[in-house]
Amino acid sequence: HENDLRDHARGRIYRVVWRDAKNPAALQKLNPTDATQLTKALNSDVQERRLFAQRLLVEGKHTATIDGLKKLVTANDGSVEALHALWTLQGLNACDDATMTSALLAKDARLRRNAVRALKADESGQKLYFGSGTVNDPDLVTRLASLVKLTEFNTTPEIQTLVKKLA
């Protein structure tokens, strides 16, 4: 039918679907007491599911998963699972120096950036920070996160020297 408002007042709704898209995995309900299932869910295709599993691991204080989470972080394979494992370890207060050093020196810029953010603002965190070289990171977003972390540390002669070099 003819109408002057046909293509101006109302919009059309289209659904564009990629033919070669893989079907999403069937989601099963996460059991808050099943640490193995929660750890596997950290590698889900769905971000909401990964974050939910991470939250359940921290809130449930699943300390039995700590060794497995550390292996995920130190694997240095660039997986999104490593990022969630890092933040789960941080939530469980189980980030040791070896794991943090491995994350700070990882080949994946996302893991390095999140490791900088997860550093504690104490003396041990400061020692790891200066040993990592993230201030001169090739990834600019990681470098920015490193400079933001620098503001969280107490002022020391090391920090003053670094700031003078950067200025």
Side-chain angles (χ1 to χ4, degrees), residues 41-94:
L42 293 177
N43 198 25
S44 172
D45 292 338
V46 182
Q47 181 182 13
E48 183 180 6
R49 186 170 178 80
R50 294 190 308 260
L51 291 171
F52 188 61
Q54 178 183 327
R55 183 176 64 82
L56 289 175
L57 283 167
V58 173
E59 288 178 355
K61 296 182 174 68
H62 292 285
T63 56
T65 62
I66 289 174
D67 290 335
L69 293 171
K70 287 180 180 179
K71 287 178 185 174
L72 291 174
V73 173
T74 57
N76 200 7
D77 59 0
S79 70
V80 71
E81 185 178 24
L83 299 176
H84 291 285
L86 175 70
W87 284 109
T88 304
L89 287 170
Q90 195 264 352
L92 293 171
N93 291 323

Side-chain angles (χ1 to χ4, degrees), residues 108-120:
D108 182 26
R110 295 177 307 170
L111 185 56
R112 291 193 309 267
R113 180 172 54 249
N114 281 280
V116 167
R117 291 177 180 156
L119 279 175
K120 293 184 179 178

Side-chain angles (χ1 to χ4, degrees), residues 11-155:
R12 297 183 194 262
I13 299 173
Y14 295 96
R15 182 170 181 242
V16 179
V17 179
W18 184 37
R19 287 188 195 122
D20 297 333
K22 65 177 184 174
N23 291 330
L27 295 179
Q28 53 181 312
K29 186 173 180 174
L30 291 176
N31 181 359
T33 59
D34 187 0
T36 305
Q37 181 193 31
L38 294 174
T39 305
K40 286 181 184 176
L42 293 177
N43 198 25
S44 172
D45 292 338
V46 182
Q47 181 182 13
E48 183 180 6
R49 186 170 178 80
R50 294 190 308 260
L51 291 171
F52 188 61
Q54 178 183 327
R55 183 176 64 82
L56 289 175
L57 283 167
V58 173
E59 288 178 355
K61 296 182 174 68
H62 292 285
T63 56
T65 62
I66 289 174
D67 290 335
L69 293 171
K70 287 180 180 179
K71 287 178 185 174
L72 291 174
V73 173
T74 57
N76 200 7
D77 59 0
S79 70
V80 71
E81 185 178 24
L83 299 176
H84 291 285
L86 175 70
W87 284 109
T88 304
L89 287 170
Q90 195 264 352
L92 293 171
N93 291 323
C95 284
D96 60 355
D97 288 352
T99 305
M100 289 304 292
T101 301
S102 175
L104 286 166
L105 300 175
K107 61 184 175 183
D108 182 26
R110 295 177 307 170
L111 185 56
R112 291 193 309 267
R113 180 172 54 249
N114 281 280
V116 167
R117 291 177 180 156
L119 279 175
K120 293 184 179 178
D122 59 2
E123 189 177 320
S124 66
Q126 193 170 347
K127 183 179 175 185
L128 288 169
Y129 176 86
F130 282 106
S132 68
T134 55
V135 174
N136 298 320
D137 198 272
D139 180 59
L140 296 179
V141 181
T142 303
R143 196 180 303 178
L144 175 64
S146 182
L147 293 173
V148 170
K149 178 54 84 173
L150 187 63
T151 65
E152 296 177 13
F153 294 130
N154 292 328
T155 304

